Amino acid sequence: EMDDRLQKEGAIGARRLLVERAKETLERLTSAGIQDPEIGRDLVAAYLKLGDVMGRLGGANLGRSGEARRSYERALEISRELTVRYPENEFVREQNAEALLRVAGITKTQGRPEAALALGQEAIRALEGEAGTRMTVARLRLLAAAYHDVGGTYSQMGKWQEVIAVREKALATSTQILASAEATLDDRLREILA
């Protein structure tokens, strides 16, 4: 079947077939219920990736933003359930924030900045956590991205003071990342662009 698609429709057709099969498999796995946090985390990651392939902004995709949104919303649904069941699991909370940001991004492009802002702020709260929350470099990167995205939403809304305040937080977070021994060239470039 894959060979037929490649012959008739090329790489895009083959990619569509893979996406359809992935969606079917994910739905079967999800419908069985999630009893294990590891399986839940894998499902969230898979739905996020599926959404990226379908229509993530700023990347190569199939141009199906509606289907991407549904995948991101499914990831968010599962990650919220996992966050309730495993509130102390930091990785689950980070994945929840990542799903929130993906849904916020698509929501913003659909002309609903207020709803996107609420999702972005929820992601920031999840990432900032309680006092004493261990801030790994990966978590700081996600937090800096969340601040940046929320700043973009404020900009779309014309709320310039809020843009400045949240972008300053993004810059401060990027500075924290750069002070870490784990900082990469990409981190340095992100700080320049912040």
Side-chain angles (χ1 to χ4, degrees):
E1 186 176 10
M2 181 66 71
D3 191 51
D4 288 343
R5 283 284 178 108
L6 279 169
Q7 296 291 326
K8 293 176 185 172
E9 300 175 39
I12 297 293
R15 194 173 203 189
R16 283 190 195 118
L17 178 63
L18 286 172
V19 164
E20 294 305 317
R21 295 292 183 263
K23 281 175 30 181
E24 292 167 7
T25 301
L26 286 174
E27 284 306 315
R28 274 197 314 275
L29 290 170
T30 305
S31 68
I34 302 165
Q35 304 304 320
D36 181 312
E38 297 297 320
I39 292 171
R41 287 173 25 187
D42 288 345
L43 285 169
V44 170
Y47 274 110
L48 290 174
K49 186 63 177 170
L50 182 61
D52 292 349
V53 170
M54 295 300 254
R56 184 172 186 186
L57 301 172
N61 63 67
L62 295 174
R64 296 177 173 178
S65 61
E67 290 180 61
R69 180 183 184 86
R70 285 189 290 281
S71 291
Y72 293 150
E73 287 173 341
R74 191 69 173 119
L76 181 57
E77 178 184 322
I78 296 167
S79 68
R80 280 185 166 154
E81 178 184 329
L82 292 171
T83 302
V84 168
R85 289 165 86 189
Y86 308 100
E88 302 304 316
N89 188 315
E90 293 298 323
F91 188 78
V92 164
R93 289 173 55 181
E94 289 172 17
Q95 261 192 329
N96 184 56
E98 195 171 346
L100 283 161
L101 291 174
R102 294 288 207 330
V103 175
I106 285 197
T107 301
K108 184 169 59 171
T109 63
Q110 293 174 335
R112 298 177 34 226
E114 292 84 6
L117 180 62
L119 291 162
Q121 290 171 330
E122 184 180 345
I124 289 171
R125 285 190 301 276
L127 291 165
E128 288 177 336
E130 307 296 321
T133 298
R134 189 169 90 80
M135 297 299 277
T136 63
V137 171
R139 188 181 192 118
L140 287 170
R141 285 183 185 118
L142 195 51
L143 182 58
Y147 286 139
H148 190 271
D149 289 355
V150 166
T153 304
Y154 277 132
S155 176
Q156 185 178 3
M157 298 168 77
K159 295 187 174 188
W160 306 114
Q161 293 294 63
E162 290 86 347
V163 171
I164 292 168
V166 80
R167 291 284 167 89
E168 285 175 347
K169 288 182 178 184
L171 187 57
T173 304
S174 293
T175 302
Q176 275 184 276
I177 295 167
L178 289 177
S180 162
E182 296 177 48
T184 66
L185 179 59
D186 283 346
D187 293 323
R188 294 184 200 318
L189 291 172
R190 275 192 289 272
E191 184 181 36
I192 291 167
L193 296 174

